[in-house]
Amino acid sequence: MPSMYLSQIRRWFLQSPPMEWGIMQLRDLLIGALRQGPIPQHVAFVMDGNRRFARSHGIETVEGHNLGFEALARVLEVCYKSGVKVVTIYAFSIENFKRSKFEVDALMEMAKTKLSQLAQHGDLLDRYGASVRVLGQRELLKEDVLEAMDRAMDLTKGNREAVLNVCFPYTSHDEITTAIRGTVQDYSRPLPSQQRSFSESHITHTIRARRLSVSDSLLKVRSHSPSSSATSDTEESTSSSTTLNPDTPFEDPALLEEDDTLPELRKFRDTYPDPETITPEVLNDHMFTADLPPLELLVRTSGVERLSDFMLWQCHQDTEIVFLKCLWPEFDLWTFLPVLVEWQWKRRKGKESERGVRSHGEKLVKAS
């Protein structure tokens, strides 16, 4: 309880008009200094610790989530003011439906209210030109929650400067499964002949099929031939034609009527996209974040060091993952600032190393 009193005194002191003015000036100065260096274009947050904060301060769990939303508003302002273009937040996991009905209903109601507040004209998102996107399984949500989310997205759809991705309800396994399902559906649709994929396996399969059809046709001609001389003539003409153009099927009208393999060839011509052309880029185009910058920084609070099924596909070799011990309601500029400064330092160091390797390589080339 004493810690709760200290927090209230601290909050009252910091919210006094002179202190608020001084903190705002200092904050703007620090953000201005940050903007002089590289800024991550896509930042993600696992907002963990609301319930623990509530328990440790003797308040209701719902109040802990409310304080977590206030922390989110502070962090969003810092991000957008610093030049971050995309912020992705883990607002609600599909696994969270396993929590008590009271807490789930409270979180749904809070999502409706807080998203509406964020999206209001002249509020935070409007000031920084940020649009709302809701990523996840919409069919798991109730109609009133969907309506509130659609209203928030509609109110901010004209904003083009930044993006707020709200993952609600979401897991990476579900996102990847959805992307694979979408890819399979795309590759199950026949392509027009002029858009066919000409991969090595496709060409090899076609040539083999045509050669088999020619061989079967020749066998049928021989079996129906009245004399060996006619058979010899047929073999010579076929041999010369296939030698000149081995990829061209035998075009004798009589054989086309008798050959049972040619209808399969005609079906094969109306081909499907080649599965060999499926690449990580193809799957990435089916992800929820397909048209957004790569994830450069992921931050999780509460001291837990795991991703909890969040942004597993988007994390790559250059993504900086930071685990902080503070709880999410305590997260603010003073906690986030060292993270951004360290990210900038590592990025500069990486670029210097690249330049050093490149210049060393150029020297070796000149020496040789």
Side-chain angles (χ1 to χ4, degrees):
M1 288 298 282
S3 63
M4 184 64 179
Y5 293 138
L6 287 174
S7 296
Q8 290 176 347
I9 294 171
R10 178 173 174 270
R11 192 179 303 116
W12 173 81
F13 178 71
L14 293 176
Q15 288 177 352
S16 62
M19 285 302 299
E20 276 192 344
W21 181 85
I23 290 172
M24 285 180 62
Q25 296 299 313
L26 180 59
R27 183 191 65 183
D28 292 344
L29 182 65
L30 291 172
I31 291 175
L34 278 175
R35 290 179 66 94
Q36 303 306 310
I39 293 293
Q41 294 302 289
H42 188 173
V43 179
F45 295 100
V46 181
M47 305 182 295
D48 193 19
N50 292 338
R51 293 194 297 174
R52 264 179 284 170
F53 183 86
R55 284 197 299 268
S56 64
H57 289 79
I59 58 178
E60 293 291 332
T61 302
V62 175
E63 183 59 26
H65 289 304
N66 273 316
L67 293 172
F69 172 78
E70 293 179 9
L72 172 62
R74 293 194 300 267
V75 171
L76 286 177
E77 186 155 23
V78 172
C79 287
Y80 294 140
K81 209 163 192 175
S82 301
V84 176
K85 295 300 181 185
V86 181
V87 176
T88 302
I89 59 171
Y90 203 2
F92 193 88
S93 168
I94 293 175
E95 297 298 317
N96 290 154
F97 281 112
K98 297 176 181 178
R99 294 182 180 180
S100 68
K101 185 178 184 302
F102 173 77
E103 185 177 356
V104 171
D105 290 344
L107 286 170
M108 294 293 169
E109 195 63 34
M110 188 184 306
K112 288 164 49 179
T113 306
K114 302 304 183 182
L115 267 179
S116 299
Q117 289 178 5
L118 281 175
Q120 283 177 358
H121 180 71
D123 214 312
L124 178 66
L125 298 181
D126 200 49
R127 287 204 308 272
Y128 293 100
S131 60
V132 173
R133 297 186 185 182
V134 179
L135 314 182
Q137 290 300 326
R138 292 170 55 90
E139 62 269 19
L140 298 178
L141 300 174
K142 296 179 180 178
E143 284 298 322
D144 56 338
V145 180
L146 282 175
E147 288 174 6
M149 290 184 169
D150 289 339
R151 189 162 53 250
M153 288 189 287
D154 189 60
L155 285 171
T156 60
K157 66 182 180 182
N159 296 340
R160 296 286 185 268
E161 298 299 319
V163 175
L164 171 62
N165 291 322
V166 182
C167 296
F168 191 104
Y170 169 95
T171 61
S172 270
H173 277 71
D174 180 74
E175 179 186 18
I176 294 170
T177 303
T178 303
I180 292 173
R181 189 183 301 121
T183 304
V184 170
Q185 288 173 353
D186 287 350
Y187 275 70
S188 299
R189 300 188 187 100
L191 290 175
S193 58
Q194 66 271 20
Q195 295 181 5
R196 290 183 300 180
S197 303
F198 292 100
S199 68
E200 183 178 348
S201 64
H202 172 89
I203 295 170
T204 304
H205 183 78
T206 305
I207 291 173
R208 285 176 179 171
R210 289 179 175 177
R211 284 179 175 171
L212 284 173
S213 70
V214 171
S215 299
D216 291 345
S217 301
L218 287 174
L219 288 173
K220 290 179 181 180
V221 169
R222 287 172 182 169
S223 64
H224 293 295
S225 174
S227 65
S228 60
S229 61
T231 302
S232 176
D233 292 340
T234 306
E235 286 180 354
E236 286 182 9
S237 61
T238 305
S239 175
S240 61
S241 64
T242 53
T243 302
L244 289 172
N245 190 1
D247 295 348
T248 305
F250 197 76
E251 297 294 343
D252 190 327
L255 297 181
L256 288 175
E257 293 177 0
E258 294 181 2
D259 190 2
D260 294 333
T261 62
L262 289 179
E264 297 301 322
L265 267 178
R266 295 191 190 98
K267 290 181 183 178
F268 186 74
R269 285 170 188 154
D270 188 17
T271 187
Y272 293 86
D274 187 353
E276 288 186 3
T277 62
I278 297 177
T279 62
E281 289 72 24
V282 171
L283 287 177
N284 192 66
D285 290 341
H286 290 81
M287 295 290 165
F288 297 151
T289 56
D291 58 338
L292 299 175
L295 181 62
E296 295 184 280
L297 177 62
L298 188 150
V299 178
R300 176 168 186 158
T301 55
S302 82
V304 177
E305 297 186 0
R306 62 173 182 265
L307 295 182
S308 296
D309 212 354
F310 178 60
M311 296 277 117
L312 300 183
W313 177 270
Q314 288 79 4
C315 288
H316 53 90
Q317 62 180 4
D318 294 324
T319 302
E320 183 75 16
I321 302 175
V322 179
F323 299 106
L324 300 174
K325 291 185 177 180
C326 73
L327 302 177
W328 179 253
E330 301 167 334
F331 192 67
D332 55 13
L333 170 65
W334 314 110
T335 318
F336 192 32
L337 183 64
V339 174
L340 288 175
V341 171
E342 184 178 3
W343 183 89
Q344 287 185 336
W345 178 78
K346 288 182 177 178
R347 187 53 56 97
R348 289 195 184 100
K349 187 177 179 182
K351 288 184 177 179
E352 288 174 1
S353 299
E354 288 178 7
R355 282 197 295 268
V357 170
R358 195 181 300 114
S359 62
H360 181 66
E362 289 173 355
K363 289 177 181 178
L364 288 176
V365 170
K366 289 179 181 178
S368 61

